Amino acid sequence: GWHNEGGHARKLFRIMFLQAVLESTPVDDPTIFLTPYQHSPHDLHVGYQKIASDDCNKKFSLIRGFYERRRNSVEAFLSKLSQQTDQSVCDLVYDSVKAHWDSHANDESRMKDVPLLRDVAELRTLSMIAAGLGGQALSSMFRALAFDYRHYSGGLPDLLLARARCPSTHTSGDSKDNHFVDLGEWIGEAFCKDYIEEENLNRSISMLADRDDDFLGCSKNVDSGHNKFSSKKKRQKISVIPAFPNKLQLIHSEKLVEVDCMFVEVKSANDRLDARQEDWLNIIDMCGAARVCKFGSKKQSK
């Protein structure tokens, strides 16, 4: 699983939904796209709002944000997505990234598109997650993000858990043939053994490196203006263009594969869900799986 607070959901929203809707509904407004370097339109962060109207005949006037400007296209896309099979959803992720990849003239141009390179590096993983969530759950989540991205881009559950299994073919319900799929063999990418060993090695090297007289993992010289090991995560620069992967098929060892995904919000015994977190848990749980995991101290558990 991953602890990224909805990172994969936002990435799938960008890959599957955003580009398709923008291409189908051009908006004649010069302030939406000001430069060719934008990854999203400016009105994406303008949600549904009502303000007091200057018109005496109307109490409120509506601010036309991203969703209102493209309502018909958004709902048409989401309606179609909700009816897709798991394999079709999986293929949509692949086809969207492939179209973006082919839109570049050459590898030199692709190297400048860092989000694309990261998408390609985990394309099979993203395809698996999309298949595990399913068209209906993705449709509900994308609608919330399109309705008010600035509000709903946060508050997603802490964890995303995923597993792949070959379901039993016996009508008796015997679970002997219902075994889990090795994601390293089926997906590869970050699940493969070599990648995991390399990550563990890099983590160990980082822990053993000279940290300038650390005190409980935090440098005493943190106020000196030179903090070599900052707590902020730094993305690793991609220096070699990745090979474009094969399309993911929901078949492994000549058996059909089903992917299960679950979102989990983690809370301590004294912590509470805020309104936005409650909204997301309700949205996801209508068509998918969302849970709250509460933990207490050892004394309380006894």
Side-chain angles (χ1 to χ4, degrees):
W2 302 267
H3 180 194
N4 59 8
E5 298 180 353
H8 285 104
R10 290 187 294 272
K11 185 170 289 190
L12 289 173
F13 174 80
R14 171 175 57 81
I15 293 172
M16 302 174 65
F17 172 87
L18 194 57
Q19 192 61 37
V21 170
L22 292 177
E23 289 177 354
S24 62
T25 315
V27 177
D28 187 16
D29 189 332
T31 65
I32 292 178
F33 280 98
L34 298 179
T35 75
Y37 305 103
Q38 290 177 227
H39 291 294
S40 63
H42 284 309
D43 66 338
L44 177 63
H45 299 274
V46 180
Y48 182 89
Q49 299 180 51
K50 287 183 177 180
I51 59 174
S53 176
D54 296 333
D55 189 349
C56 59
N57 296 323
K58 296 181 180 180
K59 292 183 179 180
F60 299 99
S61 61
L62 183 66
I63 295 180
R64 285 172 53 80
F66 179 86
Y67 179 83
E68 284 298 323
R69 294 177 188 223
R70 305 168 178 85
R71 178 192 289 266
N72 293 336
S73 294
V74 168
E75 290 301 330
F77 177 87
L78 296 179
S79 176
K80 183 178 179 181
L81 177 61
S82 65
Q83 300 173 18
Q84 298 295 310
T85 64
D86 292 348
Q87 184 63 62
S88 298
V89 172
C90 188
D91 293 345
L92 179 58
V93 177
Y94 181 92
D95 294 340
S96 299
V97 176
K98 188 65 166 63
H100 189 184
W101 176 273
D102 292 339
S103 67
H104 288 273
N106 49 48
D107 287 348
E108 183 180 357
S109 174
R110 295 184 182 105
M111 283 296 295
K112 299 176 183 179
D113 194 340
V114 178
L116 171 62
L117 298 182
R118 295 198 178 108
D119 292 344
V120 172
E122 57 175 344
L123 180 52
R124 290 172 65 85
T125 300
L126 291 169
S127 300
M128 178 194 70
I129 292 172
L133 293 173
Q136 289 189 342
L138 286 171
S139 177
S140 298
M141 296 171 70
F142 290 172
R143 180 176 286 106
L145 290 169
F147 190 74
D148 194 340
Y149 188 86
R150 182 160 59 174
H151 179 73
Y152 283 114
S153 60
L156 281 148
D158 298 312
L159 310 179
L160 173 60
L161 308 179
R163 69 180 184 183
R165 56 188 174 82
C166 294
S168 173
T169 57
H170 302 293
T171 56
S172 61
D174 189 359
S175 60
K176 290 182 179 180
D177 196 36
N178 192 5
H179 65 277
F180 295 120
V181 176
D182 186 328
L183 297 181
E185 295 180 0
W186 183 46
I187 301 293
E189 299 178 348
F191 298 106
C192 69
K193 185 178 179 180
D194 292 341
Y195 181 92
I196 294 172
E197 290 178 351
E198 182 180 355
E199 286 294 301
N200 291 337
L201 178 61
N202 291 335
R203 193 176 296 113
S204 300
I205 293 173
S206 176
M207 292 174 63
L208 294 173
D210 179 15
R211 289 175 178 260
D212 189 23
D213 192 20
D214 277 1
F215 178 70
L216 295 181
C218 180
S219 176
K220 291 181 180 179
N221 300 325
V222 70
D223 294 329
S224 66
H226 176 70
N227 184 13
K228 183 178 180 181
F229 292 89
S230 171
S231 61
K232 294 182 179 179
K233 295 182 179 178
K234 295 183 179 179
R235 291 184 179 270
Q236 186 177 4
K237 187 176 180 180
I238 300 175
S239 57
V240 180
I241 192 164
F244 204 88
N246 296 324
K247 183 179 290 188
L248 182 66
Q249 299 294 331
L250 298 180
I251 298 175
H252 181 63
S253 298
E254 300 182 352
K255 294 182 180 179
L256 291 176
V257 175
E258 291 185 3
V259 182
D260 303 314
C261 286
M262 177 184 291
F263 286 94
V264 180
E265 179 68 39
V266 181
K267 292 291 183 184
S268 65
N270 299 324
D271 202 358
R272 297 175 59 185
L273 296 169
D274 62 32
R276 188 168 52 173
Q277 290 172 333
E278 288 183 352
D279 285 347
W280 268 122
L281 291 170
N282 288 327
I283 290 169
I284 297 170
D285 203 42
M286 283 191 297
C287 303
R291 300 291 184 270
V292 177
C293 175
K294 280 213 167 189
F295 62 93
S297 64
K298 292 183 178 179
K299 293 181 180 179
Q300 291 176 335
S301 62
K302 290 180 179 178

